[in-house]
Amino acid sequence: MDINEIKVAGYQPQSFLDYPEKVSCVIFLGGCNFRCHYCHNSQIFSPKSNSMSFVEVFADIESKKKFLDGVVISGGEPTLFPRLREIINAIRGLGLLVKLDTNGTNFEILKKLVNEKLVDFVAMDIKAPLSRYADITGVPLNDDVAKSIEFLKTLEKDKYMFRTTLSPYLNGSDFTQIAEEIAGAGVYQIQQFIPNEFSKSNFVALVPYSKDEAQTFADIVSKTVAEVRLRGF
């Protein structure tokens, strides 16, 4: 198939935050199987949001590759994108690293991408303890999430991270359970919940936890995980 036909949902030319310790750009792929109440990319839930020419995005990346360490592929949920491999191969052809952001619901795809060394770093979102996924995502949980967690834990600790957006619907008991489910992981990041128009349209307005409260949850997880980080507080 012709790479000129590929469309993506968005592009951020430069980021110092999305790839740990790297300068990157971010490609957003539309289409997601979750409906998390706090989503900041709700405008790209549908695959129809993929309307930007990838060739144009690729040309921009190529023009500034000497200033970049890598490219982050985010979403939406990138593993749902039918031409993900073509995008990754094009990026790797420039000699750039590839980081994948995923919700872990397509275990076989994730495993193949990692084992075939097509991605260099994976950030997997842990939406909630497994028993409460539907409360946050709005859809039933599949077995792939637990499989993806266990698979990533087998990798070198600088090749992946787990992260959770601190939804006001989560509590200390939830983080105790998350700590058990990701026990032995290298890095876990707790990210601040930021109210937006999408979250307000779906639920009663919610007040984010404070940094001190977030630290309490971080302390719980730090009992089973090597490093716990706070972001956005």
Side-chain angles (χ1 to χ4, degrees), residues 49-101:
S49 62
N50 293 307
S51 59
M52 178 183 296
S53 168
F54 171 66
V55 168
E56 293 180 8
V57 169
F58 181 77
D60 187 71
I61 295 172
E62 186 173 27
S63 71
K64 61 183 62 170
K65 66 178 182 179
K66 64 181 179 180
F67 303 110
L68 297 171
D69 297 308
V71 177
V72 177
I73 302 179
S74 191
E77 172 48 44
T79 61
L80 296 175
F81 194 79
R83 303 185 68 177
L84 175 60
R85 279 175 172 266
E86 291 173 79
I87 289 177
I88 291 175
N89 285 330
I91 293 167
R92 298 201 73 87
L94 297 177
L96 295 171
L97 300 171
V98 176
K99 171 180 176 273
L100 179 71
D101 291 344

Side-chain angles (χ1 to χ4, degrees), residues 4-137:
N4 288 284
E5 298 174 356
I6 299 178
K7 303 289 186 182
V8 300
Y11 172 57
Q12 182 178 337
Q14 189 174 63
S15 171
F16 297 98
L17 298 175
D18 289 277
Y19 198 139
E21 301 180 355
K22 307 291 184 186
V23 179
S24 69
C25 61
V26 186
I27 297 173
F28 297 93
L29 303 180
C32 191
N33 50 354
F34 282 169
R35 293 294 182 269
C36 304
H37 72 87
Y38 49 71
C39 185
H40 61 278
N41 284 338
S42 58
Q43 72 277 10
I44 63 171
F45 277 155
S46 170
K48 294 180 180 179
S49 62
N50 293 307
S51 59
M52 178 183 296
S53 168
F54 171 66
V55 168
E56 293 180 8
V57 169
F58 181 77
D60 187 71
I61 295 172
E62 186 173 27
S63 71
K64 61 183 62 170
K65 66 178 182 179
K66 64 181 179 180
F67 303 110
L68 297 171
D69 297 308
V71 177
V72 177
I73 302 179
S74 191
E77 172 48 44
T79 61
L80 296 175
F81 194 79
R83 303 185 68 177
L84 175 60
R85 279 175 172 266
E86 291 173 79
I87 289 177
I88 291 175
N89 285 330
I91 293 167
R92 298 201 73 87
L94 297 177
L96 295 171
L97 300 171
V98 176
K99 171 180 176 273
L100 179 71
D101 291 344
T102 182
N103 60 27
T105 54
N106 287 309
F107 168 66
E108 290 298 334
I109 293 176
L110 173 61
K111 182 180 178 180
K112 288 180 180 178
L113 292 175
V114 172
N115 285 346
E116 293 174 19
K117 301 187 185 304
L118 291 177
V119 297
D120 302 283
F121 190 92
V122 177
M124 178 177 165
D125 292 310
I126 306 295
K127 303 296 185 178
L130 298 177
S131 62
R132 292 200 60 207
Y133 252 65
D135 295 338
I136 302 299
T137 68

